[in-house]
């Protein structure tokens, strides 16, 4: 017998927009986010959540806004993504990924420098995430810890007021076989996706097209300090209690059969992005 709990009574704190005029215009053009309709749209999604007693989740403006932005303010698609997000977390197959999900539990990954975030944005004002799988020693911890670290990193970045959407993926020092594999995949990918994937090999200087040279780490061809994730690790560690509070939210009972995997997890990550097929 399942205990039924209504959606959490999180105060519906009104969202205070801190976006610049340029970002507000960008959000309207790319995401259909209209400032004069934002509160109405958030309330529409909140009403859909409150009608589902199996959901025990946050209903504050900022949280629901993540999912609306991810689906260009389409209520139904935003709600479906929200439900899938919690189904994914509740799936027994993903139990190890979301158990004790807090920065302190993956400190060893951060200390190895596998994942980090550049302190400065790129030339278009976008956050730059550094993922260096070569720093991972499989004999010391499983790949699930890598996934958990990236999940925490991306979720923390979502606390920023503007939604996360992948606009570019850059590969450095990729093996030659990678080019061959990608050539096979290309016919099956949308042109929009192809335009966002870049392979640089050891041509670090090509990154200067996207990141100001003074902000690009010196070990990647720029004039900035060598890359370090120490500041980002501190940011994550300081948010440890936040993830403890997030753990109390979830799906009280299943809304139906749901097959989830780590690929589905990427799709559902806090209403942020879909693997590579970004809309």
């Amino acid at each position: 017998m399942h205990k039924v709990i209504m959606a959490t009574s999180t105060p519906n704190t009104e969202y205070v927009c801190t976006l610049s005029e340029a970002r507000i215009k960008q959000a309207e053009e790319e995401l259909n986010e209209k400032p004069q309709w934002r509160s109405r749209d958030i309330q529409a999604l909140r009403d859909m959540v409150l009608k589902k007693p199996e959901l025990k989740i946050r209903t504050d403006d900022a949280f629901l806004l993540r999912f609306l932005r991810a689906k260009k303010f389409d209520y139904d698609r935003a709600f479906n993504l929200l439900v899938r997000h919690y189904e994914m977390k509740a799936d027994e197959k993903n139990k190890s990924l979301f158990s004790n999900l807090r920065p302190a539990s993956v400190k060893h990954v951060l200390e190895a420098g596998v994942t980090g975030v550049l302190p400065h944005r790129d030339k278009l004002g976008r956050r730059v995430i550094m993922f260096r799988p070569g720093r991972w020693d499989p004999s010391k911890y499983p790949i699930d810890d890598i996934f958990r670290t990236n999940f925490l990193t991306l979720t923390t970045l979502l606390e920023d007021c503007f939604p996360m959407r992948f606009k570019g993926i850059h590969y450095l020092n990729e093996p030659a076989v990678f080019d061959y594999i990608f050539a096979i995949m290309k016919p099956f990918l949308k042109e929009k996706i192809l335009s966002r994937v870049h392979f640089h090999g050891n041509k670090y200087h090509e990154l200067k097209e996207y990141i100001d040279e003074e902000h690009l780490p010196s070990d990647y061809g720029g004039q900035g300090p060598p890359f370090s994730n120490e500041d980002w690790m501190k940011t994550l560690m300081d948010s440890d209690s936040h993830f403890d509070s997030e753990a109390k939210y979830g799906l009280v009972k299943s809304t139906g059969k749901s097959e989830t995997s780590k690929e589905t997890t990427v799709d559902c990550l806090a209403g942020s992005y879909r693997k590579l097929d970004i809309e």
Side-chain angles (χ1 to χ4, degrees):
M1 180 176 180
H2 294 283
K3 183 179 179 181
V4 176
I5 304 176
M6 291 298 289
T8 182
S9 57
T10 303
N12 298 329
T13 307
E14 184 176 355
Y15 171 73
V16 178
C17 183
T18 58
L19 300 177
S20 66
E21 288 298 322
R23 290 294 182 88
I24 290 175
K25 182 179 180 181
Q26 182 183 6
E28 183 168 352
E29 292 175 349
E30 296 185 10
L31 308 178
N32 299 320
E33 179 175 347
K34 300 183 185 300
Q36 66 272 29
W37 294 350
R38 188 187 293 120
S39 295
R40 179 206 66 180
D41 295 336
I42 292 173
Q43 187 58 49
L45 181 56
R46 180 180 294 119
D47 290 342
M48 297 174 75
V49 170
L50 293 174
K51 291 177 181 178
K52 293 292 184 180
E54 61 268 31
L55 289 172
K56 179 176 180 284
I57 68 170
R58 289 169 51 187
T59 55
D60 56 280
D61 284 9
F63 181 73
L64 297 178
L65 191 56
R66 294 179 183 179
F67 295 88
L68 286 168
R69 284 171 166 169
K71 294 302 179 183
K72 297 186 177 181
F73 281 73
D74 182 312
Y75 304 157
D76 290 332
R77 295 178 67 212
F79 179 73
N80 287 337
L81 179 63
L82 188 152
V83 171
R84 295 206 317 274
H85 170 73
Y86 283 102
E87 286 183 334
M88 171 270 298
K89 295 182 74 173
D91 193 302
E92 190 65 25
K93 295 192 295 294
N94 295 326
K95 187 175 181 179
S96 64
L97 295 176
F98 297 100
S99 176
N100 190 31
L101 183 64
R102 54 207 301 265
S105 70
V106 295
K107 186 178 180 181
H108 53 285
V109 181
L110 293 166
E111 289 177 334
V114 176
T115 296
V117 178
L118 291 187
H120 299 284
R121 297 172 182 259
D122 72 1
K123 291 182 178 181
L124 296 179
R126 303 172 297 196
R127 298 305 301 265
V128 180
I129 300 171
M130 301 284 287
F131 176 53
R132 304 188 292 176
R135 296 269 178 157
W136 171 42
D137 183 347
S139 69
K140 293 183 177 180
Y141 48 86
I143 194 171
D144 280 4
D145 285 1
I146 300 292
F147 181 89
R148 285 153 54 83
T149 305
N150 288 339
F151 187 100
L152 291 167
T153 291
L154 292 167
T155 303
T156 300
L157 285 178
L158 280 171
E159 299 309 316
D160 287 350
C161 54
F162 199 68
M164 177 184 297
R165 299 170 70 80
F166 279 140
K167 292 295 186 179
I169 299 178
H170 299 260
Y171 292 91
L172 297 171
N173 300 322
E174 70 277 7
V177 69
F178 203 85
D179 294 335
Y180 174 75
I181 294 173
F182 189 73
I184 296 175
M185 295 171 56
K186 284 181 67 173
F188 304 99
L189 297 175
K190 294 180 180 179
E191 184 62 34
K192 178 172 57 177
I193 303 307
L194 292 175
S195 67
R196 295 176 181 176
V197 179
H198 310 274
F199 299 96
H200 300 287
N202 60 0
K203 300 175 183 177
Y204 293 177
H205 64 275
E206 294 180 352
L207 295 175
K208 297 175 186 178
E209 179 182 345
Y210 308 93
I211 302 173
D212 288 329
E213 189 170 1
E214 63 267 29
H215 295 156
L216 187 64
S218 58
D219 42 344
Y220 290 95
Q223 297 180 353
F227 175 73
S228 169
N229 72 339
E230 288 186 9
D231 288 343
W232 180 247
M233 180 167 62
K234 183 179 185 303
T235 297
L236 276 184
M237 291 302 163
D238 289 346
S239 66
D240 217 57
S241 60
H242 167 77
F243 287 97
D244 283 342
S245 63
E246 282 291 312
K248 67 184 179 181
Y249 301 114
L251 192 66
V252 177
K253 64 178 182 179
S254 176
T255 56
K257 292 184 178 180
S258 175
E259 291 295 326
T260 61
S261 63
K262 290 173 185 174
E263 287 75 17
T264 304
T265 303
V266 172
D267 185 29
C268 298
L269 178 55
S272 61
Y273 65 94
R274 292 178 11 186
K275 197 172 183 182
L276 287 177
D277 188 9
I278 308 300
E279 294 186 339

